[in-house]
Amino acid sequence: MKKFLILLMLICSFSGYSQNWVTDSDIHSKISSQSQFDDGHSIVIIEFWAEFNKDNAFKDWQKLKGVEYYRCDISKSPESKKEFRIRMAPTIIIFVDGIKEEVFKAGLDLLCPVELPELNEAIQQAQKSSQF
């Protein structure tokens, strides 16, 4: 019983840190979803991700506030990869109310193209621009 409780506690503690994923079948519904926050605007960030380059993925997604953050595995979502013209992974796209606002693309080095402060600044700019 004690082992079961410990296992249950571990599972619950990690569930708050699990990454949300999108695929070809649900990416558009996530991008155009209504805001869960009271500001009336929906800001969704999609990181187009690849298993072979997982070490260079955006690591601070838990620290983002006021946005929905998803990953899309480009090997499992070829239509999304083609539609959003993903050439390198990771590529991070900010959507506001379903409209693509800003794109951060990895270079030939395949490093994450943005750090937390720069992404937060882009989110704040997107929030300001959506107020008009």
Side-chain angles (χ1 to χ4, degrees):
M1 182 67 173
K2 187 176 181 179
K3 289 181 182 179
F4 175 74
L5 289 174
I6 292 172
L7 181 61
L8 184 61
M9 287 175 47
L10 282 173
I11 291 171
C12 290
S13 67
F14 287 119
S15 67
Y17 294 102
S18 64
Q19 178 63 53
N20 293 321
W21 293 86
V22 293
T23 62
D24 285 342
S25 64
D26 64 350
I27 192 166
H28 288 286
S29 66
K30 298 296 184 183
I31 289 170
S32 61
S33 66
Q34 295 296 314
S35 176
Q36 294 180 356
F37 308 99
D38 292 331
D39 62 2
H41 295 285
S42 173
I43 297 180
V44 176
I45 298 175
I46 307 279
E47 176 182 358
F48 291 88
W49 179 91
E51 176 72 30
F52 72 85
N53 197 24
K54 64 184 175 188
D55 292 338
N56 290 324
F58 184 72
K59 294 178 180 26
D60 292 326
W61 56 268
Q62 306 98 324
K63 296 177 183 176
L64 296 173
K65 305 292 182 217
V67 300
E68 294 290 322
Y69 187 87
Y70 300 97
R71 279 196 177 138
C72 180
D73 186 341
I74 60 174
S75 68
K76 296 177 182 174
S77 302
E79 290 180 29
S80 297
K81 178 183 174 192
K82 183 178 179 180
E83 177 182 352
F84 296 105
R85 300 177 183 214
I86 306 303
R87 303 288 182 256
M88 300 287 191
T91 293
I92 298 172
I93 302 178
I94 299 174
F95 296 89
V96 178
D97 296 330
I99 299 168
K100 182 170 42 170
E101 290 289 323
E102 188 152 0
V103 179
F104 298 95
K105 297 179 182 181
L108 293 175
D109 57 7
L110 299 177
L111 295 175
C112 186
V114 65
E115 298 290 329
L116 180 62
E118 186 180 0
L119 189 56
N120 275 331
E121 183 178 321
I123 290 167
Q124 289 175 353
Q125 289 294 332
Q127 288 169 332
K128 288 178 186 177
S129 68
S130 67
Q131 291 176 351
F132 299 105

